[in-house]
Every structure is written in C-alpha cells, then in structure tokens.
Amino acid sequence: RGADATKSNILSVLGGLKSNPDDYVQVHLIGHGSFDGNNYKFNIPGPDITAEEIANAMNQIGSKQMVALMTSASGGAMTALKHDNRLVITATKSGLQKNASVFSRYWARGSNLSSVDLNKNEIISLAELYAYTQNEVSKYYQREGLIASEASLFEGPETLDPELFSLARIGQLANASLSATAEALLSERANVEEKLSELSSRRQQLSDEEYFAELQDLMLELGLLQQQIDQELGNGDE
C-alpha cells in the first residue's frame, strides 16, 4: 500500500507465502497498469513489476491460486498469468483498454453486501463476487451513458471451482471471535463442498446410480453440518 508497494516488497510477500497443494491462495492487485504492446506492468512506486515477474513468484507457491488484477490494461497480463493451478481475473479484456477501470470499485463494495451471497452461507465466494462486479460494471456504463471502455476476463482450469475460493465473511461469520467449534465446522463444510465440486467434475465417468448415491450422501452430510453450524451460531434458536 502506498510507498510500501514496491516491487521488492511485493515479490518478498509472494516469495514468503508457504502453502500446500490443498490451500487456496488469493492475490488481489488494485491500482494502475500499462501495456506497451508486448508487456504488461503493474504501476507502483519505483520500478514497475511485470506480469511475468508476478507469475514467476506465484509459480513457486504450491497451492490452488487466484489472482485478480484490477487495473487498466490488465488484460495484457492474462497470457503470462495463466497456469494450471490458477484462476485469473483481469479488469480488462486486453492491454489496449487503457482507460481507468471501475472494476475494483465494485469488487470492494460487493465484498460486504449480503445480496452478493447468493447461497446464503454467509461466505462470499469468488464466483459470487465476480458475477456481482461484472454486472455492476455493465450497469455503471449504461447509467452514465458511456461506451464501455473495459470488459473483464475470468479464465482458469476447469479443475478449479471458483465457488471454493472464500473471499469474505458476512453476517455472524464476520465475527472475529468465532468459537473453535464453529471454525472446525466451517472447515468441514468447506471440505464437503470441495467433494461436491470434485464429484461434479467426474459426472461423465459415473453411472446415474453411482452419481446420485454419492450426491445424496454428500448433500446429507452438508445439511447436517449446516444444522450444527446454525446451532453453534445461535441461528437454530427461534
């Protein structure tokens, strides 16, 4: 942030991240960007950082990843940032969209809105926030009577489900003093949701009987966990 957002500091933070393949690592970059026709640069105090430098640093992190690059010309970074363990969001569809972007405005705003939480689990996922932001950006240009000077991109491997990236907690889950039991139950729920995503990816490999048997077991487990979470948070008391 500010004068501290230098290339060396950003690379140091990325290089210091320790994770394992089951972790979900998120990088959100907000500011200004430039594109010279070949290379994208994230504009910061001192020497700018290139898309290749960001990608190289993230390639050293063993995890499931998401990077959201919310700047003008950020679409020019997509090719460099794409990786088989990474979801990439850019505020523009190419490096040629160089006007100031409003994408980050709605990205930040949506992270606190209960209306963005479509499945009402009090966790705003990457998929939910992106859908909200994309819609709000479109409405902004319509409302202002302007020709849209930005169109976002969202790319990544099919094996990575954007619903599994938790970006923000709202409601009671926003309480920093959740009990250890509640946190453990939330972790169990996340594991079941990941199993549901994995089951969906195997749908074509299974017979209907196999698929629906596994689906029923997982949905039952998810429902029971949600009941326990509600009880732990006091939602079950009427």
Side-chain angles (χ1 to χ4, degrees):
R1 177 180 296 181
D4 292 329
T6 63
K7 178 192 288 194
S8 60
N9 284 344
I10 292 173
L11 293 178
S12 176
V13 169
L14 292 176
L17 291 175
K18 304 298 182 184
S19 64
N20 63 63
D22 293 326
D23 289 338
Y24 289 81
V25 171
Q26 303 176 31
V27 175
H28 303 250
L29 295 172
I30 299 175
H32 301 282
S34 59
F35 183 70
D36 63 9
N38 293 303
N39 300 303
Y40 167 87
K41 292 182 179 181
F42 183 54
N43 303 153
I44 48 179
D48 292 335
I49 186 169
T50 67
E52 287 77 9
E53 289 171 324
I54 296 170
N56 289 338
M58 296 189 69
N59 289 346
Q60 307 307 310
I61 306 169
S63 64
K64 300 167 185 175
Q65 304 175 4
M66 182 281 293
V67 57
L69 189 53
M70 293 169 274
T71 75
S72 53
S74 52
M78 178 60 76
T79 299
L81 290 174
K82 287 172 65 174
H83 197 273
D84 59 9
N85 70 333
R86 184 180 305 137
L87 297 175
V88 182
I89 292 172
T90 60
T92 72
K93 68 178 180 181
S94 77
L96 300 179
Q97 292 186 323
K98 299 182 178 182
N99 292 340
S101 167
V102 299
F103 187 94
S104 61
R105 176 191 308 179
Y106 297 106
W107 186 264
R109 184 177 298 174
S111 65
N112 291 315
L113 296 178
S114 60
S115 59
V116 178
D117 177 27
L118 298 180
N119 61 8
K120 304 306 177 186
N121 67 351
E122 297 192 324
I123 292 177
I124 294 177
S125 71
L126 176 61
E128 290 171 328
L129 185 55
Y130 179 75
Y132 165 83
T133 303
Q134 187 181 43
N135 185 51
E136 290 301 311
V137 169
S138 177
K139 290 196 295 186
Y140 166 83
Y141 285 101
Q142 292 175 9
R143 185 170 61 249
E144 298 297 320
L146 300 171
I147 296 175
S149 59
E150 62 186 285
S152 61
L153 292 178
F154 189 170
E155 298 188 14
E158 293 182 358
T159 53
L160 278 184
D161 186 349
E163 283 288 356
L164 299 179
F165 285 81
S166 300
L167 272 62
R169 292 181 176 185
I170 58 175
Q172 292 192 75
L173 292 191
N175 185 348
S177 60
L178 289 179
S179 68
T181 299
E183 291 288 1
L185 289 169
L186 289 172
S187 180
E188 286 186 55
R189 185 177 71 181
N191 288 336
V192 174
E193 289 171 341
E194 186 163 6
K195 290 178 182 178
L196 281 167
S197 177
E198 189 271 337
L199 174 62
S200 178
S201 71
R202 292 189 292 115
R203 176 66 180 92
Q204 300 305 315
Q205 304 168 24
L206 302 172
S207 67
D208 286 348
E209 183 178 355
E210 291 171 325
Y211 173 74
F212 287 110
E214 287 192 47
L215 180 63
Q216 179 176 308
D217 289 344
L218 288 171
M219 292 303 294
L220 177 59
E221 185 177 359
L222 188 63
L224 292 173
L225 279 170
Q226 189 60 54
Q227 285 183 350
Q228 292 177 281
I229 291 170
D230 289 342
Q231 291 171 359
E232 183 65 22
L233 296 178
N235 296 339
D237 298 330
E238 299 294 340

